[in-house]
Amino acid sequence: MGDRAILVEVAGLDEVLSLHAHLVAAVPPGVVDIVPAARTVLITVDPAVLSLSRARAWVTDATAAAPTADAPAAPEVVVDIRYDGPDLDATAALLGVSASELAERHAAATWTVAFTGFAPGFGYLVSDEWPFDVPRLDTPRTRVPAGAVGVAGVFSGAYPRETPGGWRLLGTTDAPLFDPARENPALLVPGMRVRFRPVAGGERTLAGNVRTLAGEDHTLAGEERTLAAGAGAGAGAGRGFRVEEPGLLATVQDLGRPGSAALGISRSGAMDRRALGAANRLVGNPGDAAAIEITLGGFRAVALADLVFAVTGGGGPLRLAGRDIDPYVAHRWPAGAELEVGWIERGARALLALRGGVDGPVVRGSRATDILSGLGPAPLAAGCVLSVGADPNAPVPPAPDAPWGAPDGDDLEIDLAPGPRADWFTDGARATLFEATWTVSGAADRVGIRLDGPSLARVRSGELPSEGMVPGALQVPPSGRPTILGPDAPVTGGYPVIAVVADAARDALAQARPGSRIRFRHSRPTE
């Protein structure tokens, strides 16, 4: 899938679980993520460390061994549950059993976490002892509370946080399903065995706090979660700035959270990684230091101490203390002065880097905001104060001879690699993808960019079982108009992927705005 991932398709869930267990038992350097799904396993690599050809050879060996070799012993967790769900009676009637029998069968089954899904910590559970295939609700709920336990199709699952959902709800648990403050944030991870233990209606369900592995009990009591930017340790004393106006959207971003997709955690991070790296270099920071990603501008802030900053990426008016300044140049920001990043005229996103980096709590190795899952600090709001870390050892480098120009976000040519489900589409649709001029719709954000243009016709109908996704994947829903997944998109999805944006082209795509015109071209093979 694209130039950094391999999608391996197998016969079914049993084979997925076996292959996943053997892959994670011996991971070579360079493998970033291993994501099981309904009938596939997605392997993402860093090609600078492990080439796709070498990764394919490793996967081929594991695939050959998986059917015959013994898989590693799976850990087990017991989750207490109250069978008080609003759909219990109706679901039992639909299946032709009593509510008590349905609850008993659900509790008697030994479940296995097959894969994670649309939210961090949401595990899709399967069991050979569960005989039912349960249809989803005709109309999904707009709000499913955290801790709800439901069933859909052959799966069961528990919602870690409040989200919309169409599963039929059988009960409730108080188990800490996901806590980013823990070393292991997800209670339920792929391959784990799960038992549901009924408790009386008045009891709190706390058994999910104990995970059993190799005969030992490991407490999973969560620590208090603090997500406000600026709460991290190590900031320069009193160094920071106050947001006066965040504009349309301003978030803390670095290079994101690679390696956590199997827990349902998106990579997130700056959409324009090249602009982030340039801004950090200009102020002498490491390339992965956290900065502020400003979408379409309208941002104003006041320094609370003397700072040094640079702004890169999308172009528009920049003013410091009311005076125009240049982008792609390091500037001193005196205490009390106001910095304004005006409305962006070229491109879509600007990166504001501060010498020392934006400080704050680290969640799964990153300070980045994930707007879909809620991980990391909340989007910036007027009045919030952000801390800046201590100055790095490296000096501020000399100013470049000529500042880089702002990107052209109006007309873009984007390289595409073939997608894993290109064969689901007609020859005409695959040709149209590259021949048409596509327009970025108003539905464009960090989760995905929906494109307006011709409809891409399929040769295959029906639903695609959920499978792993990567940023840059072009999913095509039944409407036939593709959506390009962003860094905050879910790690699995059920629409076929016709193509994938080449990794190097994602930075240019980050500068697309509503109304931008996009032409696609075939990427050159990397191997």
Side-chain angles (χ1 to χ4, degrees):
M1 181 184 283
D3 52 7
R4 288 176 175 255
I6 302 166
L7 189 71
V8 182
E9 188 166 9
V10 294
L13 277 170
D14 289 343
E15 290 78 8
V16 165
L17 292 169
S18 177
L19 176 58
H20 177 258
H22 286 87
L23 289 173
V24 299
V27 180
V31 172
V32 177
D33 272 308
I34 304 173
V35 184
R39 295 178 186 171
T40 59
V41 179
L42 177 73
I43 299 97
T44 305
V45 304
D46 179 354
V49 180
L50 181 69
S51 68
L52 284 178
S53 60
R54 289 170 55 205
R56 290 190 186 100
W58 167 64
V59 172
T60 298
D61 292 343
T63 303
T68 56
D70 292 332
E76 181 176 290
V77 64
V78 177
V79 175
D80 283 359
I81 180 174
R82 297 183 298 272
Y83 284 102
D84 56 2
D87 302 321
L88 180 62
D89 291 337
T91 304
L94 182 69
L95 299 174
V97 298
S98 68
S100 60
E101 181 182 353
L102 182 61
E104 288 170 2
R105 290 198 175 191
H106 187 265
T110 299
W111 300 86
T112 300
V113 183
F115 56 95
T116 55
F118 64 91
F122 186 97
Y124 286 77
L125 313 183
V126 295
S127 175
D128 292 337
E129 301 160 7
W130 180 250
F132 303 115
D133 190 340
V134 183
R136 288 171 168 80
L137 296 173
D138 292 335
T139 303
R141 290 180 171 89
T142 58
R143 176 185 174 275
V144 177
V149 178
V151 290
V154 299
F155 300 105
S156 185
Y159 287 75
R161 62 192 296 263
E162 181 181 311
T163 64
W167 289 36
R168 296 179 183 268
L169 306 182
L170 305 186
T172 309
T173 181
D174 296 318
L177 298 168
F178 188 82
D179 182 353
R182 294 193 305 242
E183 180 180 358
N184 298 308
L187 181 64
L188 308 180
V189 298
M192 177 176 285
R193 292 177 297 161
V194 180
R195 299 293 300 269
F196 289 100
R197 181 167 60 193
V199 298
E203 295 182 54
R204 284 183 54 80
T205 61
L206 297 176
N209 286 355
V210 178
R211 177 183 297 175
T212 303
L213 175 61
E216 297 183 25
D217 287 343
H218 299 270
T219 181
L220 294 180
E223 301 173 11
E224 184 178 353
R225 176 182 175 189
T226 303
L227 294 180
R239 289 162 51 90
F241 60 95
R242 182 180 66 250
V243 176
E244 301 295 314
E245 175 57 54
L248 291 182
L249 177 67
T251 58
V252 177
Q253 298 296 339
D254 50 24
L255 291 180
R257 301 181 177 88
S260 296
L263 304 178
I265 299 174
S266 303
R267 176 155 187 159
S268 199
M271 289 192 68
D272 189 339
R273 301 157 299 174
R274 183 170 52 194
L276 173 68
N280 276 323
R281 285 194 298 273
L282 286 166
V283 297
N285 284 343
D288 59 354
I292 305 300
E293 181 181 270
I294 300 165
T295 301
L296 296 179
F299 177 90
R300 294 186 298 111
V302 172
L304 303 179
D306 291 346
L307 302 172
V308 175
F309 73 95
V311 177
T312 61
L318 296 177
R319 298 182 184 90
L320 179 62
R323 300 179 61 181
D324 292 340
I325 58 173
D326 290 329
Y328 286 90
V329 175
H331 300 275
R332 295 192 178 278
W333 186 1
E338 180 179 88
L339 170 66
E340 179 184 359
V341 180
W343 296 108
I344 294 175
E345 300 164 349
R346 299 176 304 283
R349 292 173 175 86
L351 274 297
L352 166 62
L354 289 304
R355 180 165 170 79
V358 176
D359 201 17
V362 175
V363 179
R364 296 299 292 177
S366 170
R367 294 180 171 87
T369 297
D370 182 335
I371 63 172
L372 183 65
S373 72
L375 291 183
L380 305 188
C384 71
V385 174
L386 289 92
S387 296
V388 175
D391 283 348
N393 293 327
V396 175
D401 293 335
W404 295 286
D408 178 8
D410 291 334
D411 292 281
L412 299 170
E413 286 191 345
I414 300 296
D415 290 345
L416 294 183
R421 303 301 173 188
D423 59 350
W424 278 50
F425 298 87
T426 65
D427 291 343
R430 293 196 296 270
T432 296
L433 179 65
F434 292 94
E435 293 169 356
T437 297
W438 301 88
T439 303
V440 175
S441 74
D445 58 19
R446 290 182 49 82
V447 177
I449 299 173
R450 187 176 301 168
L451 301 180
D452 288 333
S455 178
L456 301 178
R458 294 188 193 180
V459 294
R460 293 186 59 175
S461 58
E463 293 187 8
L464 175 71
S466 291
E467 59 188 27
M469 294 289 149
V470 295
L474 270 73
Q475 277 194 329
V476 184
S479 69
R481 291 178 175 82
T483 294
I484 308 174
L485 299 186
D488 291 355
V491 301
T492 60
Y495 294 134
V497 173
I498 189 172
V500 181
V501 174
D503 187 73
R506 285 177 49 211
D507 298 315
L509 185 65
Q511 297 300 340
R513 56 195 290 154
S516 293
R517 295 170 295 276
I518 296 177
R519 294 293 302 267
F520 294 119
R521 62 190 182 191
H522 295 276
S523 65
R524 296 179 179 179
T526 56
E527 296 184 349

